[in-house]
Structure formats: structure tokens, C-alpha cells
Amino acid sequence: MLNKIKQLFSDSTAFALALMGNKIVSFLLVPVYTRQLQASQFGDWDLTNTIAMVLTYFCILGTDTAFAYYFFEAKDERDRNGYFTAAVGIPAVISLFFLLIISFVSAPSAKVLYEDGEAYPHLLTLAILVIVFNVIIQQTLAYARYSRQVWTFNLGSMSFVIGSSLASVYFVVVENLGVKGIFYGQILAQSIVATFLLWYYRHKFTISVKQKHLRDLLSYGLPLLPALLAFWVMNAVSRPMIYHIVSSEAAGIFGLALRFASMIALLTTAFQLAWRPFSVSIKEREDAPRIYSLLGRAFLVVGTFFILFLTFFIEPIIQIVAGKEEYFAAYPYVWMLATGTLLNTMHLIVGVGLLIQKQTKEISKTFLVAALIYFAGNALLIPAFGPWGTAAMNVITYLFAFISIYRKSQKVYRVNFRFRSMLVYLGIYLVTLSVITWGQVQGWQGMWICYLVSLVVMVASVFVTGLFNSESVADLRHRLPNLVGKR
């Protein structure tokens, strides 16, 4: 078991190097964009990104997750190359089809989507062109992930993010092209990276793609599509609602909060990238349930403490980074949005049995219900509470999905996650973070005392709830030096 945990730790750390570089670059762009764009323009950019994210999943059709499974199930290298070619080709063809359609409707739809639609007649077309190159990059880098070509993944990932960022800054700052300049930069850099990756993996592409390869990827991935779309709709539907019900400025502020909340992705995305191939690779092991349980509980604790420490410092960080006072109101929403991301990653862990048993339809059913709950909650709460309503629904909805998927997974593959302890621990966490946020908004004096008490409460709750005990700590203390030393 220890060797497999070492493998996951090593892969997660390696992937985190690229993600950390990417997030640092993205983070450095925030003060550039907040100083160059008004809050309403930031809202326009965020709205366009939201639409693009939803369309991206229509292009990929769950083939990324399916490829993670069949990469290891392939009977030989030729069979694996067939799955790889199909996994790249399907999203590329679909994204080109979307590009053709959007090029005709971009101008008229802009008048409906944006407050100043005449300023962005071709903005959606630019966003879809980015998707064409982005899906190629995602799918080719997936091969690098699953084959554990860590440095190829890191270099490819960092190249397209850093290149896109630098090019976008040029078009926004030097050419003064505003929101359009961001997409010009992404198109320029990502087209170069996509071309290079296609050339680099040219020997892995094959003309012997069989109908079986297409059928396997789509039959595994398509049932996940509603879940993936529901996930992105849950992220997407609230921002247009805030944009049109409250204001474009409020949408821009909320969009900034989302970017700060995405700092949790340094942890969640790195783990998620390593988790998918890892969880499949050990599914036949006798001790697999024990490994899943240990890692699930540890990930929950690490993730919540990451968000806790981020919350301690988020207000001054946003003030320093954003620069403009109109953005300062973004800080209270960050921890709730980050918690939603954490719970979304947790569903992959507690729902591992559904993925192993190929019962991905159950995940889709849960997220479709979750999306309806999220939409209804936002429709009721945004008119009354603005972005606060969306932030609260983010936690409520993902908590529902987390619990529902756990229950379904336990019916087909039992893992003792100490789930009751997990729920009690999450309850303490939510109360603690709510008190901290209330104190920050109300301007309590001596907040450092509140922070110290909160830290003590959270540390104690790890053991009081039974999530971990002294035996677990002793085991961790025994294993950690070897884990780090042999990484």
C-alpha cells in the first residue's frame, strides 16, 4: 500500500509544479487586468469564459475521463494509440463544428448577452477558436499524464498558460484592446503549443482507429456528460444571473472572487489529475478500499485547512492585488466558492466505486438533480441577497452531490470512509468559517484571536470527530519520512 501512496504523492507533487506555475502566472495577471479593465468589463470577460467552459464539455463529451480508463485497459500499444487518436479527434472535430456555427450567430447573440453588445460582435467566435486549440492541448497532455511523462506534461501545460498570459498582456496593455485582447493572446499562444504537441506525439496517432475505440470512449464518457455539464452549469448559470439581475459590476466582483477561490486548484487539480489513473490502476488490489479511505480523509483535512488559512489573509490579499476599491468586496465569497471546488473533487474519491464499476450514469443523475437545486436556489436568493445567494448555494449543492454519490457508490463498492465523522467535521468547518466571515464583514477588532481559536477548534475536530485518531497519526509519522525521502 505504501508504494502506491508514494506513487500518488509523487505524481500529485509533480503535477502541482506545473499547476503552481500556472496559478502564479494567472495570479500575477489579476492586478494587470483589474487596473486595465473596469469591473463591468471584467464581468464581460467572466461571462464569456463561462459560456466557453460549458461548450468545452460539449466538445470533449467525457472522452477525457473515458481515455483515463481505457489507457490502462488497452490490450497493447497499438490499441492504446487507437484510443488516443479517437480521444483527440472527437473533441477537435466537434469544436470546429461549434466554431462554424458560432461564427454566424456571434454578432446578434452579443446584443443579448452583453450590456454593450456592439463592442463585442465577434467575441464568442474568438472564445470558441480558443476552445479548438485548448481541447487538443488537454487531450494530448492527458496522454502524458497517464503514461507518467511528468515533465512533458509540466512543460506543455506551463508553456500554453504562460505563453497565453504574456501574449494577452501585450494585447491588453500595449495594444489597448481590452477584453478582446485577452482572447487574441490565448489564440496566438495556444495555437503554437497545440501544433507542437501534435508534432511531438505524431508517432502515437494512427489511422487504424476502430469503431470499438470510438464506441468505448463515447459509451463510457457520454453518461458522464450530464454530470460534467451540470457541474459547469452550476458554475455558469449564476454569473449571467448576477450579471443581468444585479449588475455587470457585481458579476465582475464575483468573477474576481472565483479567481481567488481557484487557488484551491493548486491542491484539488493536482490531486485530481493523479487520482484518476491511480484509482483505476489499483482497483484489483485487495487493500484498495483501505487506500481510498485513507486518502479521502486526508484530502478532506488538507483541503479544509488550506481554505482556512486562505480565509485568514484573503481580505488584505485582494486589496493589494486588485488595486481598485471597486473590487475589494470580493473577499467574503472566496471560502464558500473554494469549498464547493473541494467538495466537487471529494465526490470523485467517495464515488470511486461508481467509476470502477462503470456506473457513471448514477453520477450524472445526481448532478442533474444538483443543477436543478442550484438553479432554483439562485433564482430565489440572487434577487434578495445578490452574490451571497450564489456563494451559499455553491456549498449547499456540492454538499448534496457529495452525500448522494457516496451513498450510491457504497451500494456497489464498499469503502469505510468514516463518513459520519466526515459530515460532523464538515459541519464544524462550515460554522467556523461562517463566524470568521461574519467577523471580517462586521469589522471585529482583534480578529487574530478569532483566527487562533478557529485554528484550535479545527485541529481538535479532526480527532474529536473520529476522522483520524492517535493510531492514524502514529502511522503517518512512521510513513511520512519514507514518503518524502523516496519521492
Side-chain angles (χ1 to χ4, degrees):
M1 182 179 75
L2 180 59
N3 289 333
K4 282 296 178 182
I5 295 177
K6 288 178 182 179
Q7 175 187 325
L8 179 64
F9 181 84
S10 176
D11 289 353
S12 297
T13 303
F15 292 139
L17 292 176
L19 293 169
M20 186 175 295
N22 295 344
K23 286 298 175 183
I24 290 173
V25 172
S26 299
F27 188 73
L28 292 175
L29 290 180
V30 171
V32 176
Y33 291 155
T34 54
R35 285 163 174 78
Q36 293 292 321
L37 305 176
Q38 297 176 354
S40 60
Q41 291 177 301
F42 206 98
D44 295 333
W45 175 41
D46 189 65
L47 178 62
T48 309
N49 276 336
T50 299
I51 297 170
M53 285 190 295
V54 174
L55 289 178
T56 297
Y57 276 84
F58 271 113
C59 295
I60 294 178
L61 294 178
T63 55
D64 54 343
T65 303
F67 182 47
Y69 183 88
Y70 285 104
F71 180 90
F72 295 98
E73 290 293 304
K75 57 185 179 181
D76 52 37
E77 185 68 17
R78 184 177 180 181
D79 194 37
R80 183 176 293 117
N81 290 343
Y83 284 118
F84 173 55
T85 304
V88 175
I90 292 172
V93 171
I94 295 175
S95 62
L96 287 171
F97 174 76
F98 274 120
L99 179 64
L100 178 64
I101 299 299
I102 295 297
S103 64
F104 289 105
V105 302
S106 181
S109 61
K111 297 178 182 179
V112 178
L113 290 171
Y114 306 107
E115 286 185 351
D116 185 13
E118 294 183 357
Y120 306 118
H122 304 296
L123 191 61
L124 281 180
T125 303
L126 296 176
I128 305 305
L129 186 55
V130 172
I131 292 177
V132 174
F133 301 120
N134 190 270
V135 295
I136 294 173
I137 293 171
Q138 283 188 48
Q139 299 296 77
T140 50
L141 288 181
Y143 187 95
R145 281 207 324 269
Y146 305 148
S147 58
R148 302 189 69 194
Q149 298 174 13
V150 174
W151 290 111
T152 301
F153 172 84
N154 285 351
L155 290 174
S157 178
M158 294 180 70
S159 294
F160 96 83
V161 172
I162 295 175
S164 297
S165 301
L166 293 176
S168 294
V169 167
Y170 170 79
F171 286 111
V172 172
V173 177
V174 179
E175 299 295 333
N176 197 28
L177 292 175
V179 176
K180 292 179 290 186
I182 299 175
F183 291 99
Y184 287 145
Q186 291 175 348
I187 291 169
L188 175 62
Q190 293 188 29
S191 63
I192 295 173
V193 176
T195 301
F196 174 78
L197 287 173
L198 289 174
W199 175 84
Y200 184 80
Y201 284 107
R202 65 192 184 279
H203 300 300
K204 300 298 181 182
F205 291 104
T206 177
I207 60 174
S208 60
V209 177
K210 299 179 181 178
Q211 186 177 358
K212 176 180 181 297
H213 297 135
L214 300 173
R215 185 177 62 250
D216 285 347
L217 291 179
L218 292 176
S219 63
Y220 190 100
L222 277 175
L224 283 172
L225 182 60
L228 295 169
L229 289 176
F231 166 66
W232 285 114
V233 167
M234 286 161 60
N235 282 267
V237 71
S238 60
R239 282 128 91 178
M241 293 175 74
I242 294 172
Y243 187 99
H244 292 287
I245 295 175
V246 184
S247 68
S248 58
E249 289 79 7
I253 292 170
F254 190 77
L256 181 66
L258 280 166
R259 278 163 177 75
F260 277 93
S262 69
M263 292 173 68
I264 187 69
L266 289 173
L267 174 67
T268 59
T269 307
F271 183 88
Q272 187 172 332
L273 291 175
W275 173 259
R276 285 179 178 176
F278 169 82
S279 60
V280 173
S281 69
I282 69 167
K283 63 185 176 70
E284 303 298 335
R285 289 173 57 104
E286 184 178 349
D287 60 351
R290 182 183 171 194
I291 298 175
Y292 296 146
S293 173
L294 176 63
L295 293 175
R297 288 179 282 124
F299 182 78
L300 178 63
V301 171
V302 173
T304 50
F305 271 84
F306 183 99
I307 297 172
L308 178 69
F309 285 110
L310 177 62
T311 305
F312 290 165
F313 305 105
I314 192 61
E315 184 176 7
I317 289 174
I318 285 183
Q319 291 177 352
I320 293 170
V321 173
K324 291 182 182 178
E325 189 174 351
E326 61 180 329
Y327 289 103
F328 290 175
Y331 77 89
Y333 314 124
V334 171
W335 78 267
M336 287 180 278
L337 299 174
T339 299
T341 301
L342 177 66
L343 290 173
N344 180 62
T345 305
M346 283 297 302
H347 96 261
L348 294 173
I349 302 174
V350 299
V352 65
L354 296 175
L355 296 173
I356 290 174
Q357 300 298 330
K358 298 184 182 180
Q359 298 191 23
T360 54
K361 290 182 180 179
E362 296 302 320
I363 298 176
S364 295
K365 291 177 182 178
T366 292
F367 271 95
L368 286 174
V369 174
L372 293 174
I373 294 172
Y374 186 77
F375 179 80
N378 274 278
L380 291 172
L381 297 179
I382 288 178
F385 303 103
W388 283 105
T390 294
M393 286 307 302
N394 200 67
V395 176
I396 293 169
T397 308
Y398 282 112
L399 185 59
F400 161 78
F402 170 66
I403 295 172
S404 176
I405 289 174
Y406 164 78
R407 289 176 174 173
K408 291 180 178 181
S409 183
Q410 289 296 104
K411 293 178 182 179
V412 299
Y413 188 91
R414 295 196 62 83
V415 178
N416 181 16
F417 283 106
R418 301 185 187 178
F419 199 69
R420 183 174 298 178
S421 297
M422 276 187 171
L423 292 180
V424 175
Y425 174 80
L426 278 170
I428 295 171
Y429 162 80
L430 292 174
V431 171
T432 301
L433 270 292
S434 297
V435 171
I436 292 173
T437 301
W438 178 260
Q440 291 173 334
V441 172
Q442 295 298 317
W444 288 355
Q445 297 296 317
M447 278 300 295
W448 68 271
I449 299 177
C450 181
Y451 296 158
L452 182 60
V453 172
S454 300
L455 181 59
V456 172
V457 168
M458 288 302 299
V459 171
S461 67
V462 173
F463 305 101
V464 172
T465 61
L467 198 60
F468 282 93
N469 52 34
S470 57
E471 182 179 342
S472 303
V473 173
D475 186 48
L476 182 63
R477 187 178 298 170
H478 171 72
R479 295 176 184 273
L480 189 59
N482 292 328
L483 190 64
V484 176
K486 297 181 181 180
R487 184 182 61 188

